[in-house]
Amino acid sequence: MKPLIKISSIFLLGLLIACGGNGEKKEKDQIKVGQQSKTEKKSEPATQSTSETSAEDDMANLGIGPIKSVDISEGINKEMAARGKKVYNNLCTACHKMDNKFVGPAQGGVTERRSPEWIMNMILNPEEMIKKDPIGKRLLVESNMAVMANQNVSEEDARAILEYFREYDKTH
Amino acid sequence: MKTIQKLLLGLGAGLLLVGCGNNSNDNSSGAMASSNAEQVYVAPGEHDEFYAFMSGGYSGNLTVYGLPSGRMFKEIPVFSQFPTNGYGYSEETKAMLNTSFGFIPWGDSHHPDISQTNGELDGRWIFINENNTPRIARISLTTFETDEIIEIPNSAGNHASSFVTENTEYIVAGTRFAVPNPQKDMPIDDMKGKFKGPLSFISIDQETGRMNLDFQLNMPGFNYDLAHPGRDKSHGWFFFTSYNTEEAHSMLEVNASQNDKDFIAAVNWQKIAEYVENGGGKKVAGTYAHNVFDESTMTATTEMKEGVISVDPREVEGAVFYMPVPKSPHGVDVDPSGQYIIGNGKLSTQLSVYSFEKMMKAIEDKDYDGDAYGIPILSFESVLEGVVDSGGLGPLHTEFDGKGNGYTTFFISSEVVKWKIGTWEVLDRKPTYYSVGHLMIPGGNSRKPYGKYMVSLNKITKDRYLPVGPELEHSAQLYDISGDKMKLIYDFPTHGEPHYAAGIPADKIKSQSKKYYELEENNHEYAVKNEANTRVERNGNEVHVYATTVRSHFAPDNIEGIKVGDKVYFHITNLEQDFDVPHGFAMIGANTSEILIMPGQTKTIVWEPKREGVWPFYCTDFCSALHQEMQGYVRVSAKNSNTKLRWKLDEDWNE
């Protein structure tokens, strides 16, 4: 019995030494699970083929909510875009950045991926959008189940945010 | 075969009928019970018909219930610290509990009363008094939060409070424990004639609800117990019961029950207010805290005030009289018409009903039966209108149903008695379980009662619920009073000791209930309205963390450069703008409580790190599927270390 305990002790000691020796290394090296994807940064969950939609379909999707159609003029309403930027910075940037994915998707280029109606409906009616809209459902999964928050933005301000996105996408 | 069937059917029906007959006095079983159940059943997702605000007694708070379901919706912290949301612990709300005696973390709340317009409940505010360290609080009925607390100086045992006049012109506060006024070091045995029982009148600003201690009526040193404003024709008067007219100061149980009659003080407050407005009364000493919570800055401040206008009741002609009441009265109540004033002599079997008209005539005729310290005593026979001779024992309080009936609680005989205004005959009586104190009919102390339900607020619970050891919650009973006879339909426990309650139809206030705070209207000194502005600032050993929350992360969530001995203020702004998305904040080792931050709100707690290390904080309110991930770390270094102050969320450190 005694020798066994001794052996175990030596083994434990070894473990301790190993830990000490690795102090400088990154902690992720200590866990070796799913080594195939080791080099990838946390891969985004693959979308199910059944809910997959083409880019064309995405642009045709108006979303679900109060906005049935949006009047878009050729140019940018600067004043409206400025207001939109202010509202966006206050109410949205805790989860969205323009140029990279944060909690939610990167917002840059959104006007090229989504219809204006869809964008406004996602802002105004997020609870229903992430439950029923095919893109909304897909994005919820891609965002690690972080729900799109309803920030009680007025229709006018949602339109202004859209204008800010349009301006951003034209200049970037 | 057929005949046998018929016989059996007939027999069965007969038995059923007999059965029902036998059960008519017992509502607790059979068909009656199921109809009672239907009456109190509020289907899932549906709303109650009434709000009931129950005083929390020695919890110091106010609870909000629904009627008829008896479901509790909220505990509103008022006079006591409340770790559930940080009230009284957070930097913003600590000032609410300041008094002239310093910070007091507890109070004994008693009588809630809802603001009125033309004698009807208007749902703007609810007021409640604190008995121990005399105070009155005003609670907003849009946020359901305490907005203001004013201390009452020169008083003790603020029990005859916080009743509102019919246009919410004034709230009153009484003095149940006569004291030297001004306070001074003197032998207790010298009490008689030297102690005073000031009655305070607090005026209300009709726009803001702000309270102002307008004047104190420096009454003889009896124990002023309860009060009720005049209504309608008696508007302008206030009635206060008193006991211990013996002015005993020891063994009151015996010595304060020597006189056969004590008094109701009838006070013409309109006359006195006018007198004060014209320069009457004199300013006397009296220090008191006035705490106001500003909804815009989300922060409470204390103003310590000095001095109060004191009025000698003998110096205002025709303003103050005593009416004799048998047997140590407790409650005094006025019927919805304002014509009748009910004295509930707690050691008797009878109610004494006074007529306002007779009172006015006796005053006009100077129909006096002596005086007490120069205050005229009206002749008992001249002012008495009738007697409700119930046979019950120990009447305490009366409310009205608006259909010509009064309902009085009897503590000793544990029952509620229904009687008819005008004839004074007893119409019905029902037992309570057990030893009822106050009762409440929504609007039942106003010009417009909603006489559908009556709640009895009982002092003793015993076997009404599953036993939970020696200490029990109190027990309320709900009665249907829509018919000729009262019908006991439900039991439910209440929190603390509800001394009184105020009910109001839900439709009057539910649509005004606030859903969240607008970020744009948040003028908190330390608010940050987007993550770009979150930061950490050091000023000597004081560190201010300007942080935000959103589902589901803090910004920043990593902080370094905090040192042992620092005083760290976490100012947390919840960036959410949707109904019911609070976030919480808790820091290991903080000697306060958590804070619960409503959408759009900013709250602050202080943490004084005592040990080096890396210490976590987290969100206490389950906010989303990623709530468990809503956490962060603070690195604490030695007092003299030079660890750089820096913070981050995700990738890059900021300095």
Side-chain angles (χ1 to χ4, degrees):
Chain A
M1 202 56 183
K2 268 189 179 172
L4 190 65
I5 291 175
K6 272 186 189 158
I7 291 170
S8 317
S9 304
I10 289 167
F11 180 67
L12 278 173
L13 200 66
L15 270 179
L16 283 172
I17 288 166
C19 288
N22 281 351
E24 292 297 298
K25 281 197 168 185
K26 291 264 166 145
E27 73 286 348
K28 59 184 165 194
D29 293 344
Q30 295 293 314
I31 302 171
K32 296 186 172 100
V33 180
Q35 290 185 46
Q36 279 146 321
S37 61
K38 205 174 132 193
T39 51
E40 292 171 30
K41 194 177 173 169
K42 241 189 190 177
S43 67
E44 296 186 354
T47 51
Q48 288 178 339
S49 59
T50 47
S51 67
E52 224 169 275
T53 49
S54 71
E56 252 171 58
D57 289 344
D58 283 359
M59 283 305 279
N61 180 353
L62 303 185
I64 305 159
I67 306 302
K68 307 299 175 205
S69 72
V70 185
D71 283 332
I72 303 282
S73 56
E74 192 51 36
I76 298 293
N77 180 334
K78 293 270 178 203
E79 203 180 312
M80 195 197 282
R83 166 78 191 161
K85 184 176 183 181
K86 184 171 170 247
V87 177
Y88 174 80
N89 280 340
N90 280 344
L91 296 178
C92 313
T93 51
C95 294
H96 294 283
K97 310 291 173 204
M98 292 312 278
D99 41 13
N100 52 351
K101 181 183 181 302
F102 196 48
V103 177
Q107 225 77 74
V110 67
T111 58
E112 289 143 26
R113 298 192 301 270
R114 313 275 178 252
S115 69
E117 293 81 5
W118 190 96
I119 292 171
M120 285 183 67
N121 282 326
M122 191 63 171
I123 296 169
L124 295 168
N125 188 32
E127 295 97 336
E128 197 177 3
M129 285 287 283
I130 60 173
K131 268 188 204 133
K132 297 183 185 163
D133 180 77
I135 307 173
K137 279 157 65 175
R138 192 175 79 212
L139 291 176
L140 177 66
V141 174
E142 285 175 12
S143 303
N144 196 23
M145 294 299 180
V147 297
M148 165 81 179
N150 186 342
Q151 289 290 75
N152 273 294
V153 177
S154 67
E155 258 187 51
E156 198 186 345
D157 281 348
R159 177 66 187 84
I161 291 170
L162 172 66
E163 199 66 4
Y164 166 56
F165 289 165
R166 292 183 64 235
E167 182 186 51
Y168 184 92
D169 289 347
K170 283 197 174 185
T171 52
H172 285 78
Chain B
M1 198 59 182
K2 269 188 177 174
T3 41
I4 291 174
Q5 268 181 352
K6 271 185 188 163
L7 205 68
L8 277 172
L9 265 173
L11 260 171
L15 276 172
L16 272 178
L17 284 172
V18 171
C20 290
N22 284 347
N23 278 349
S24 64
N25 288 329
D26 178 6
N27 297 343
S28 63
S29 61
M32 190 69 89
S34 69
S35 90
N36 291 349
E38 276 168 26
Q39 274 187 277
V40 300
Y41 181 67
V42 177
E46 286 183 10
H47 287 171
D48 280 281
E49 194 179 345
F50 294 93
Y51 282 95
F53 296 88
M54 310 276 189
S55 97
Y58 36 65
S59 80
N61 294 336
L62 180 71
T63 48
V64 189
Y65 283 74
L67 296 181
S69 75
R71 298 179 294 186
M72 189 180 115
F73 305 137
K74 185 176 187 180
E75 179 170 1
I76 302 172
V78 186
F79 298 111
S80 295
Q81 283 183 311
F82 195 59
T84 306
N85 66 9
Y87 178 87
Y89 294 94
S90 73
E91 293 303 295
E92 290 80 6
T93 53
K94 272 177 2 188
M96 292 304 282
L97 303 181
N98 285 338
T99 73
S100 63
F101 299 92
F103 177 83
I104 294 187
W106 169 85
D108 180 15
S109 62
H110 269 254
H111 310 122
D113 208 9
I114 295 168
S115 59
Q116 299 185 5
T117 302
N118 296 323
E120 295 181 22
L121 306 180
D122 62 23
R124 287 179 290 171
W125 310 293
I126 185 163
F127 300 88
I128 191 164
N129 57 315
E130 205 272 278
N131 188 62
N132 183 47
T133 305
R135 284 172 283 174
I136 292 180
R138 178 173 56 83
I139 292 140
S140 156
L141 289 180
T142 54
T143 62
F144 293 68
E145 301 284 346
T146 306
D147 268 356
E148 187 178 5
I149 294 179
I150 192 167
E151 187 182 355
I152 312 298
N154 308 327
S155 182
N158 178 30
H159 196 268
S161 183
S162 57
F163 305 107
V164 310
T165 58
E166 72 173 27
N167 292 301
T168 322
E169 297 97 332
Y170 282 96
I171 307 290
V172 296
T175 296
R176 197 177 101 202
F177 310 130
V179 283
N181 183 19
Q183 270 291 2
K184 61 175 176 185
D185 176 8
M186 63 177 275
I188 299 172
D189 284 344
D190 294 351
M191 168 191 185
K192 206 162 192 165
K194 302 256 174 60
F195 283 16
K196 293 290 182 185
L199 304 176
S200 306
F201 286 76
I202 295 103
S203 61
I204 305 299
D205 183 297
Q206 297 304 305
E207 286 298 307
T208 61
R210 291 279 168 90
M211 299 187 279
N212 171 55
L213 178 52
D214 202 21
F215 60 88
Q216 289 188 319
L217 194 58
N218 201 24
M219 297 289 280
F222 311 145
N223 287 10
Y224 296 90
D225 201 10
L226 278 156
H228 203 292
R231 296 282 178 227
D232 202 349
K233 65 179 70 171
S234 53
H235 178 57
W237 289 79
F238 227 111
F239 304 97
F240 295 83
T241 46
S242 66
Y243 65 99
N244 194 22
T245 50
E246 297 85 352
E247 296 178 73
H249 54 80
S250 187
M251 195 58 192
L252 268 66
E253 193 175 4
V254 174
N255 296 330
S257 309
Q258 298 303 304
N259 294 347
D260 184 53
K261 292 187 180 72
D262 296 282
F263 300 125
I264 286 174
V267 174
N268 186 329
W269 58 264
Q270 273 180 340
K271 206 168 237 184
I272 299 167
E274 212 169 279
Y275 169 79
V276 170
E277 205 174 318
N278 293 326
K282 63 171 185 189
K283 190 138 184 175
V284 298
T287 308
Y288 61 102
H290 188 188
N291 310 325
V292 176
F293 184 83
D294 183 326
E295 274 183 35
S296 162
T297 63
M298 302 180 174
T299 303
T301 48
T302 297
E303 189 184 346
M304 208 55 82
K305 293 183 168 171
E306 186 55 57
V308 54
I309 300 291
S310 178
V311 174
D312 183 331
R314 294 165 299 197
E315 287 187 0
V316 191
E317 179 74 25
V320 184
F321 302 89
Y322 281 127
M323 296 197 287
V325 193
K327 302 290 175 193
S328 302
H330 188 55
V332 55
D333 299 286
V334 177
D335 85 304
S337 74
Q339 171 63 12
Y340 300 114
I341 301 134
I342 321 296
N344 306 278
K346 67 177 179 274
L347 304 180
S348 100
T349 58
Q350 297 178 332
L351 302 178
S352 306
V353 182
Y354 302 84
S355 150
F356 179 68
E357 268 167 31
K358 285 187 175 177
M359 182 190 97
M360 293 307 284
K361 184 152 195 315
I363 291 170
E364 197 186 315
D365 297 346
K366 294 192 173 359
D367 191 354
Y368 301 152
D369 185 15
D371 73 283
Y373 295 104
I375 294 170
I377 300 169
L378 300 176
S379 148
F380 181 58
E381 290 71 25
S382 312
V383 290
L384 190 74
E385 174 72 26
V387 165
V388 178
D389 203 351
S390 72
L393 205 56
L396 293 186
H397 303 282
T398 300
E399 296 255 304
F400 302 90
D401 64 5
K403 294 176 282 192
N405 306 303
Y407 298 74
T408 303
T409 56
F410 287 77
F411 175 77
I412 301 172
S413 54
S414 260
E415 60 184 334
V416 178
V417 170
K418 176 181 177 180
W419 49 271
K420 197 171 170 61
I421 297 171
T423 67
W424 322 120
E425 65 188 307
V426 170
L427 302 175
D428 189 23
R429 62 197 322 139
K430 283 286 180 303
T432 63
Y433 306 92
Y434 304 92
S435 301
V436 59
H438 277 273
L439 76 169
M440 183 275 279
I441 294 168
N445 70 357
S446 73
R447 265 163 83 167
K448 189 178 176 187
Y450 300 85
K452 185 170 180 183
Y453 300 111
M454 181 265 290
V455 180
S456 70
L457 298 156
N458 306 303
K459 301 296 184 190
I460 293 172
T461 307
K462 289 194 189 290
D463 57 2
R464 297 305 286 182
Y465 310 111
L466 288 175
V468 287
E471 185 182 324
L472 308 171
E473 290 286 35
H474 280 223
S475 177
Q477 265 111 37
L478 182 71
Y479 296 79
D480 171 3
I481 56 165
S482 58
D484 288 343
K485 299 288 180 189
M486 295 177 277
K487 199 168 77 159
L488 172 59
I489 53 176
Y490 202 50
D491 254 15
F492 59 97
T494 50
H495 187 53
E497 180 184 344
H499 290 277
Y500 189 35
I504 184 169
D507 289 341
K508 287 208 162 216
I509 54 175
K510 76 174 186 183
S511 61
Q512 74 189 29
S513 176
K514 204 175 186 72
K515 291 191 163 65
Y516 62 90
Y517 299 93
E518 297 278 350
L519 267 177
E520 284 195 26
E521 292 165 13
N522 175 342
N523 293 311
H524 191 290
E525 194 184 350
Y526 295 96
V528 270
K529 300 193 185 174
N530 59 55
E531 284 190 357
N533 292 333
T534 58
R535 62 192 185 276
V536 183
E537 287 175 358
R538 174 180 287 283
N539 177 17
N541 74 333
E542 218 174 72
V543 178
H544 291 268
V545 179
Y546 296 75
T548 58
T549 61
V550 81
R551 277 163 287 176
S552 281
H553 61 270
F554 292 98
D557 63 1
N558 281 190
I559 300 168
E560 293 192 345
I562 304 299
K563 295 170 192 173
V564 172
D566 280 348
K567 198 166 184 186
V568 183
Y569 291 81
F570 289 100
H571 307 287
I572 317 279
T573 302
N574 182 351
L575 296 178
E576 308 275 0
Q577 289 290 272
D578 198 4
F579 191 23
D580 200 17
V581 196
H583 292 287
F585 177 79
M587 181 75 227
I588 188 170
N591 297 104
T592 50
S593 72
E594 65 147 5
I595 38 175
L596 202 58
I597 311 125
M598 295 304 122
Q601 204 176 34
T602 304
K603 279 189 184 174
T604 305
I605 55 167
V606 171
W607 175 53
E608 297 180 68
K610 294 177 180 65
R611 290 181 239 163
E612 292 167 37
V614 177
W615 304 101
F617 58 84
Y618 71 103
C619 173
T620 49
D621 187 291
F622 204 102
C623 54
S624 80
L626 295 160
H627 160 74
Q628 295 300 80
E629 282 77 5
M630 192 163 173
Q631 60 177 40
Y633 288 106
V634 181
R635 175 180 170 190
V636 178
S637 303
K639 204 179 179 75
N640 299 316
S641 75
N642 48 16
T643 311
K644 198 178 269 179
L645 187 69
R646 55 181 199 160
W647 63 93
K648 74 168 182 179
L649 168 68
D650 206 17
E651 300 285 333
D652 303 317
W653 287 96
N654 303 287
E655 290 173 9

